[in-house]
Structure formats: structure tokens, C-alpha cells
Amino acid sequence: MASSETAKWMSALTDDQAGLFTFFNCVCLSDMYGDGDTKLVAAHVGSSKEAHGQCPLLPFMEFPECTLLFRFNMRLKVYKGVTVVGESALADMPTAVVSFYNEKITLPAIGVASGSYIRIYKNLKPFYQYNIPSAPIHKVEQEAWTKTCVKQLTHDQLYTVIQSLANEISPKQLTPLSQTLLVTKPEDRSSFIEYYAIPKYVNNLQNPDATSGHILNTILILLSAYVHLSARGAAY
């Protein structure tokens, strides 16, 4: 291969100090600054840390006598080569990232699905935010929490039901409350269930995270197709 062609490629590397933890659907390529240089955009899902009395998936709620893992320092990062050239803080766990053009002549926007929201970024600043409605809650999950609330199921039985359901349909399809239960330490599990297995929480279960990533991709694919067709129509 000629040297001019070789310069187009970057050798693979391993860097244990890169500090980037992400998933395949949280990475995209984008010429987000309009300088003709396509950059890597990645949503860093953060690091784990133990916290006493704080729930990782329900961060604004507290419960006594529990120590759980939660994530912090979640950021949207832009790389030029292997160098970070820009970043923006994320409030919730990211599940999908997409680059798209939402106008005929403009810089690309970055769509990020995180938590129960879809946020649209321009120049790494959030411009729009859409709230994703709750996905249907699995009948078995709702019934298990309801029965525990009225003392028809023990704490161990509730955990067994939720764990079996997670193995059957995937933990991602469960509510944040059940996901948190699954990662709670065994010695803290009873306190967690005792605190949340009450009508205040059981009757208002929400499941926004199960669909935000899929909705983001669907919306942005349709939007990109619409803009592309509009641009073609304007050219005729």
C-alpha cells in the first residue's frame, strides 16, 4: 500500500487509561463542527460508586440502611483521533446516540437517548428535550409488587419472581425499581423492598427506559429520510 494511502488509516491501540466506557449503540461518527473532519462521538456511561441511602436508578429517592452502586460522571465525548476535543455532561444513563441533519443547510445535530428523555445537542449543548412516555409494564412484574405490597408475597419470593422475569424477557424491559432490586446487595434487599413495596410507589410504576433508545433511532431515521427527500426535491 502506498504511503499516501497508509496515512488514511489509524493503527488499532489499547489504552487502559482512556477512561471511556460505552456500548455499540452509544457511538457514532459526525462532522459536527462542519470542518470536513469526521469525529467520533461517544456517550461515556460513567463509573460506578457506592452510596449509602441513595438509589442508582431512582437518584432523587432515598431509602434507609442500604448501600448500592450508582453511576456518575456520565458524559458525551467527541474525539479527534484519540484526543478528546469536546464533552458535555449527561444527566442520565445513555442508551443510544445518533448524528443527523435536521435542516437543509446546517451542522449535524446529535441525538442522545438517556433515561426517559431524548435530548438533541448542537455544539455539545442541549437544544431540545423530549419526554418518552412509559412503556407497558409487564403483568407479572406489576402483580408481584402489588402482592408484596399487601403481604401476599415475601421479600424473597418477590426477588425470585423479578429475577426469573429478568431472565425470561431481559432486565432492560423491567422498571427502574425492579432493576435496582436486582443489583441490590442481599443484606440490603429486605430494607429496599420494605421501603418501596407500598402503594405510593407500587401504584405508580413507570418504565420509560425500555423504549427510549429504539424511539430515538426510529425518529431520527425518519427525520433524516425526510430531510434527504426534501433536499432532493429542492434540487429539481
Side-chain angles (χ1 to χ4, degrees):
M1 182 179 293
S3 59
S4 60
E5 295 179 345
T6 304
K8 298 178 182 179
W9 298 90
M10 181 178 68
S11 299
L13 59 85
T14 300
D15 184 1
D16 295 334
Q17 305 300 319
L20 177 64
F21 179 31
T22 189
F23 306 109
F24 74 94
N25 52 336
C26 290
V27 177
C28 70
L29 297 174
S30 176
D31 180 16
M32 59 184 303
Y33 297 122
D35 55 4
D37 181 25
T38 300
K39 296 174 178 63
L40 174 69
V41 181
H44 174 53
V45 301
S47 305
S48 297
K49 183 178 180 180
E50 288 190 348
H52 181 74
Q54 187 175 25
C55 172
L57 297 176
L58 303 170
F60 300 107
M61 299 181 182
E62 295 185 353
F63 51 92
E65 301 177 359
C66 290
T67 301
L68 297 173
L69 290 175
F70 74 102
R71 307 206 70 82
F72 69 103
N73 197 31
M74 295 173 288
R75 307 188 74 81
L76 184 65
K77 295 188 175 186
V78 180
Y79 288 84
K80 181 177 182 180
V82 293
T83 303
V84 177
V85 295
E87 58 182 333
S88 179
L90 296 174
D92 300 291
M93 173 74 79
T95 56
V97 173
V98 177
S99 174
F100 69 101
Y101 290 87
N102 62 348
E103 298 173 10
K104 294 179 181 179
I105 302 176
T106 185
L107 297 177
I110 304 296
V112 180
S114 59
S116 60
Y117 298 95
I118 292 176
R119 296 180 175 92
I120 307 301
Y121 289 77
K122 287 188 176 182
N123 292 324
L124 289 180
K125 296 179 180 179
F127 269 69
Y128 308 102
Q129 176 173 289
Y130 304 94
N131 188 24
I132 304 301
S134 176
I137 298 172
H138 198 283
K139 180 180 178 181
V140 173
E141 180 184 8
Q142 180 70 68
E143 184 178 348
W145 279 102
T146 300
K147 287 186 176 181
T148 304
C149 181
V150 296
K151 310 301 181 184
Q152 293 182 5
L153 285 181
T154 66
H155 295 173
D156 289 339
Q157 289 173 331
L158 171 65
Y159 179 80
T160 300
V161 171
I162 297 300
Q163 187 178 49
S164 298
L165 184 60
N167 293 334
E168 178 183 342
I169 66 172
S170 169
K172 294 181 179 180
Q173 301 301 316
L174 300 177
T175 63
L177 184 61
S178 293
Q179 292 182 42
T180 305
L181 173 62
L182 293 176
V183 300
T184 303
K185 294 181 178 180
E187 60 268 25
D188 297 327
R189 198 174 293 152
S190 183
S191 298
F192 178 88
I193 296 174
E194 189 70 30
Y195 188 84
Y196 282 111
I198 60 176
K200 175 182 177 181
Y201 299 118
V202 171
N203 295 337
N204 294 284
L205 288 178
Q206 298 289 319
N207 191 17
D209 295 337
T211 57
S212 60
H214 299 296
I215 291 177
L216 171 69
N217 282 295
T218 301
I219 290 175
L220 297 185
I221 288 172
L222 293 174
L223 183 58
S224 297
Y226 170 77
V227 172
H228 176 68
L229 291 174
S230 298
R232 288 186 60 185
Y236 288 107

